[in-house]
Amino acid sequence: MRLLTDHEQDHRFSDEIDKLTGYKTKSLLCMPIHNSDGEVIGVAQAINKSPNGALFTEDDEKVLQMYLPFCGIAISNAQLFAASRKEYDRSRALLEVVNDLFEEQTDLEKIVRKIMHRAQTLLKCERCSVQLLEDIESPVVKFTKSFELLSPKCSADMENSFKDSLDKSSYSDWLINNSIAELVASTGLPVNISDAYQDPRFDAEADQLSGFHIRSVLCVPIWNSNHQIIGVAQVLNRLDGKPFDDADQRLFEAFVIFCGLGINNTIMYDQVKKSWAKQSVALDVLSYHATCSKTEVDKFKAANIPLVCELGIDKLSFDDFSLDVDAMVTAALRMFMELGMVQKFKIDYETLCRWLLTVRKNYRMVLYHNWRHAFNVCQCMFSMLTTAGFQETLTEMETLALIVGCICHDLDHRGTNNAFQAKTGSALSLLYGTSATLEHHHFNHAVMILQSEGHNIFSNLSSNEYGELMQLLKQSILATDLTLYFQNRNSFFELVNKGEYNWNVKEHRDMCRSMLMTACDLGAVTKPWEISCKVAELVTSEFFEQGDRERSELKLTPSAIFDRNRKDELPGLQLEWIDGICAPLYETFAKLNPKLQPMVDLIKANRAKWEELHHRHQRSQETASPGSPHNVDVTASSCSCAGTSDSSPFQSVS
């Protein structure tokens, strides 16, 4: 366009810009800039030819027209160079992603964190999240793990916006189960939302929970090498405020391909580790254990089984050391018969003898968590059931699960607790990967014995009964993890104290059975002092052996309960154990059934003994000269029953 006359006489000119800037346009020459394909890629404009007042001529137009093709070439080249540079940067970033992902394949959380950090860097967004599916084979979309990374500013803003922990929990639930992520996981198609609040697929609840304003969303599926969706990756809000464009989506999809491979490799590596751990544990078990001999089975099958009154197993104050290893087997047989389980469940008597003998053989020769402890826990359960009449309230199936659970609850115990398994990275901790490592192992070991030929005492149950019983058995054994006790006890105590406990409510019964398992596992604290103190010696000796290993193998200083050099502190710890853990449990059972009050009375008597030892120790400290050894021998005054669970509360001292 060339204004041949004064611009004010040309209808194509608008003076709006002049009015805004104060500039006076007198003449103007404007021509298009073409690329090599003849496409218009811009315009060139010349304003106000000199000298003042002169107009652009046809010669000027020809000169500019000759110049502009070179200008078009230069601009095209610059654009191509910029695009090439951008593509180079993106390709390099993807190569760095590949390097990151395959450099770290041993820790899922680490690799996902790297993924999110790279995604934020590549796409320059405010937030990134990754959700992994619980079961890639299931048609139902359910995420089991969610990870999120926020820019520093967003992280601070969201922390300030959450009102309380409930908001955080609700937001976390939304993050895992939001509808866009579920849609992408179910369809396998990416979702790119430029304006979230105008899109019906977006749920604004998250913004309400977190105070964060979501503008745009880009969510794509994560695939494994078998073209199965294993999760979704999601980015929110470009930093420049613009929506995610097609180039962003293509880049993100390419990026997520490598992410899927990295995550899949990490999951496979974890599975290989678990397989190795499983094999290692199995070989260890097989090398140590064997089933009982036919001679042993025949011996007990033909033996006369003493009556309950002759064995004394119905007494709450039963002497844990009154029976030898064989007598404990016959006493266990008597408990099964006395409770009517042999008849009710048509348990083959020879199979029962074989099962009990093999269970006994599968307890290691450790100082405390051995066959005697398993039997004593079972005896405590038997005496509580019969004394309080619980076996008349519980179903026969529940009673059977409790008795079998007590006998099996510490199978293949190694004399060290869950914390030690985790610290040493043992095969057990790698296999189960949970705080209740040993409890899961005890249950699985019980299942292994039941599945061995000639050992299935539940063989005459229907498939439904068998399934129900195994669930009850698992609950019983896992209940000996004190972590579960701490989670449930306040609810149980409150129900009983308010008189609201109801045997007809399933949740109440489940809770009560778990509390019964704990009460029996810790039952030595309710025995007469001579018995309780002797148990304390065994517990402490086993704990000290673990402490010695922590010091020698792990180069750690063990906590007081495991440190033989601090044995003089044990009476004080035992008082804390009784007051904080044991007494409230047995007092609650006594309220539920007053016939169990003798257990509370014996705890109080034992507590007085521990307190006497504690005061004696304190007096010795006050009178001892600096640097001199204490003169109170409390070697036998360890924390009675502190070790009856694999998750002793004294671990918190560590």
Side-chain angles (χ1 to χ4, degrees):
M1 176 180 76
R2 178 164 59 94
L3 299 184
L4 300 177
T5 58
D6 186 74
H7 71 274
E8 293 179 350
Q9 304 302 318
D10 198 308
H11 69 277
R12 295 171 294 176
F13 179 76
S14 172
D15 64 350
E16 290 295 323
I17 301 299
D18 281 8
K19 290 177 180 178
L20 290 173
T21 63
Y23 186 84
K24 181 70 173 177
T25 301
K26 297 178 180 179
S27 58
L28 184 148
L29 176 60
C30 186
M31 298 185 69
I33 303 173
H34 296 87
N35 63 13
S36 58
D37 295 324
E39 298 170 330
V40 176
I41 59 173
V43 295
Q45 187 172 264
I47 302 173
N48 292 358
K49 181 178 178 179
S50 297
N52 291 337
L55 299 177
F56 291 103
T57 66
E58 290 183 0
D59 289 337
D60 295 329
E61 188 174 350
K62 289 177 182 178
V63 170
L64 185 60
Q65 197 169 19
M66 292 174 63
Y67 168 77
L68 289 183
F70 298 102
C71 185
I73 293 171
I75 292 173
S76 295
N77 287 344
Q79 289 176 333
L80 286 170
F81 178 80
S84 176
R85 182 69 188 182
K86 187 175 182 180
E87 198 60 35
Y88 169 80
D89 290 341
R90 291 191 172 194
S91 298
R92 182 176 179 178
L94 286 174
L95 286 174
E96 289 174 348
V97 167
V98 173
N99 181 66
D100 282 351
L101 297 180
F102 292 97
E103 187 177 70
E104 173 58 69
Q105 298 188 63
T106 61
D107 188 304
L108 183 62
E109 183 165 353
K110 284 183 180 179
I111 203 168
V112 171
R113 292 289 172 194
K114 283 190 174 184
I115 289 169
M116 295 190 295
H117 178 73
R118 285 293 182 186
Q120 272 195 329
T121 304
L122 283 173
L123 298 172
K124 297 179 175 55
C125 60
E126 293 181 355
R127 288 168 55 195
C128 177
S129 65
V130 171
Q131 281 89 261
L132 299 181
L133 287 171
E134 183 178 62
D135 183 2
I136 63 175
E137 302 288 350
S138 174
V140 178
V141 173
K142 184 177 181 182
F143 297 108
T144 183
K145 290 183 180 178
S146 179
F147 306 87
E148 185 180 28
L149 184 66
L150 290 82
S151 65
K153 181 181 181 303
C154 292
S155 182
D157 290 346
M158 287 185 66
E159 187 66 29
N160 294 332
S161 65
F162 280 121
K163 296 186 292 297
D164 52 37
S165 60
L166 182 61
D167 280 350
K168 290 184 179 181
S169 175
S170 300
Y171 173 73
S172 178
D173 290 342
W174 177 89
L175 187 65
I176 294 177
N177 300 301
N178 75 81
S179 56
I180 295 175
E182 292 176 347
L183 176 64
V184 171
S186 61
T187 63
L189 300 174
V191 168
N192 191 347
I193 298 176
S194 58
D195 188 345
Y197 279 80
Q198 298 301 316
D199 197 299
R201 295 169 293 181
F202 176 72
D203 181 2
E205 182 183 0
D207 283 9
Q208 296 167 6
L209 291 171
S210 67
F212 180 86
H213 182 70
I214 296 175
R215 301 187 304 273
S216 54
V217 180
L218 176 57
C219 186
V220 301
I222 302 174
W223 305 84
N224 64 13
S225 56
N226 296 322
H227 205 66
Q228 296 171 301
I229 296 176
I230 60 175
V232 298
Q234 185 171 256
V235 287
L236 305 175
N237 295 4
R238 268 178 43 164
L239 292 174
D240 59 10
K242 297 178 182 179
F244 296 102
D245 55 28
D246 291 340
D248 291 328
Q249 183 172 326
R250 288 195 301 272
L251 176 63
F252 198 36
E253 287 177 331
F255 167 76
V256 167
I257 290 173
F258 296 110
C259 295
L261 294 173
I263 292 173
N264 189 58
N265 285 353
T266 305
I267 293 172
M268 288 176 63
Y269 178 83
D270 190 57
Q271 290 172 344
V272 169
K273 277 203 310 181
K274 287 192 174 183
S275 296
W276 172 85
K278 192 171 185 178
Q279 182 184 33
S280 178
V281 171
L283 290 173
D284 183 41
V285 168
L286 289 173
S287 65
Y288 188 89
H289 301 299
T291 58
C292 63
S293 66
K294 185 177 183 304
T295 303
E296 287 181 300
V297 176
D298 291 341
K299 170 187 168 183
F300 282 93
K301 182 181 177 183
N304 291 322
I305 308 300
L307 299 174
V308 168
C309 58
E310 296 174 299
L311 294 165
I313 53 176
D314 58 335
K315 293 181 172 57
L316 294 172
S317 58
F318 172 78
D319 184 349
D320 289 357
F321 302 95
S322 61
L323 303 178
D324 62 29
V325 290
D326 284 349
M328 285 187 279
V329 174
T330 57
L333 288 168
R334 171 53 65 189
M335 285 188 272
F336 273 85
M337 291 187 286
E338 191 70 19
L339 291 171
M341 291 184 287
V342 175
Q343 299 87 343
K344 165 64 182 176
F345 298 103
K346 299 181 176 60
I347 299 175
D348 179 74
Y349 190 70
E350 180 177 338
T351 301
L352 180 60
C353 293
R354 184 180 296 109
W355 174 78
L356 276 170
L357 289 165
T358 296
V359 166
R360 180 179 74 173
K361 202 173 185 68
N362 279 258
Y363 274 92
R364 299 195 179 202
M365 299 297 289
V366 294
L367 290 171
Y368 179 69
H369 288 94
N370 50 37
W371 163 245
R372 181 173 295 280
H373 168 63
F375 170 78
N376 288 334
V377 172
C378 184
Q379 181 279 325
C380 188
M381 179 65 74
F382 177 80
S383 62
M384 287 185 73
L385 291 175
T386 54
T387 299
F390 287 153
Q391 88 277 15
E392 297 172 6
T393 308
L394 296 168
T395 67
E396 292 167 318
M397 191 80 76
E398 288 173 316
T399 301
L400 177 61
L402 288 171
I403 292 295
V404 173
C406 287
I407 291 176
C408 296
H409 85 281
D410 270 334
L411 270 168
D412 194 46
H413 199 290
R414 285 88 189 288
T416 53
N417 62 13
N418 284 326
F420 185 83
Q421 303 300 321
K423 289 175 187 174
T424 57
S426 68
L428 282 178
S429 66
L430 289 174
L431 177 59
Y432 297 107
T434 170
S435 60
T437 295
L438 288 169
E439 287 76 18
H440 280 87
H441 178 58
H442 303 325
F443 170 71
N444 287 344
H445 201 82
V447 173
M448 183 183 74
I449 293 174
L450 285 167
Q451 291 177 344
S452 300
E453 185 177 355
H455 289 78
N456 190 357
I457 57 175
F458 307 142
S459 60
N460 289 318
L461 273 63
S462 68
S463 59
N464 288 338
E465 288 174 330
Y466 188 86
E468 179 187 352
L469 183 57
M470 294 308 292
Q471 282 298 317
L472 291 170
L473 178 60
K474 184 174 185 178
Q475 290 173 12
S476 298
I477 293 177
L478 296 186
T480 59
D481 174 19
L482 282 185
T483 302
L484 290 179
Y485 166 67
F486 292 137
Q487 290 174 1
N488 296 326
R489 71 174 196 161
N490 288 338
S491 298
F492 180 67
F493 293 171
E494 187 176 354
L495 285 172
V496 174
N497 290 334
K498 290 183 177 180
E500 296 175 357
Y501 179 83
N502 187 343
W503 285 102
N504 296 319
V505 177
K506 181 182 181 299
E507 289 76 12
H508 293 192
R509 295 168 70 90
D510 291 345
M511 205 180 300
C512 184
R513 290 198 314 275
S514 294
M515 294 297 114
L516 274 172
M517 288 298 299
T518 302
C520 295
D521 198 15
L522 312 181
V525 76
T526 69
K527 299 298 177 72
W529 172 250
E530 294 76 12
I531 302 168
S532 186
C533 187
K534 191 173 180 179
V535 170
E537 291 183 56
L538 294 172
V539 175
T540 305
S541 297
E542 186 174 287
F543 273 26
F544 285 168
E545 286 194 356
Q546 175 176 318
D548 293 342
R549 290 185 63 185
E550 289 181 1
R551 184 177 280 109
S552 63
E553 296 175 20
L554 304 176
K555 309 305 178 187
L556 298 174
T557 300
S559 59
I561 192 65
F562 297 99
D563 192 346
R564 65 176 70 251
N565 298 327
R566 299 170 65 185
K567 60 186 178 183
D568 51 352
E569 299 178 34
L570 297 177
L573 291 172
Q574 179 65 10
L575 289 174
E576 295 177 12
W577 164 251
I578 290 176
D579 293 342
I581 309 301
C582 301
L585 175 61
Y586 297 103
E587 287 168 358
T588 302
F589 269 116
K591 288 179 183 176
L592 186 63
N593 192 306
K595 293 180 180 179
L596 298 177
Q597 181 62 34
M599 301 180 86
V600 177
D601 297 338
L602 278 170
I603 285 183
K604 291 179 179 178
N606 288 335
R607 189 194 184 285
K609 294 282 189 180
W610 290 117
E611 189 167 27
E612 180 184 344
L613 286 167
H614 180 57
H615 290 326
R616 192 189 308 171
H617 166 57
Q618 287 182 318
R619 288 194 298 271
S620 73
Q621 284 186 310
E622 293 169 0
T623 58
S625 60
S628 64
H630 305 317
N631 56 13
V632 178
D633 183 9
V634 289
T635 303
S637 306
S638 59
C639 299
S640 174
C641 304
T644 53
S645 169
D646 296 320
S647 299
S648 167
F650 292 101
Q651 291 174 19
S652 61
V653 181
S654 303

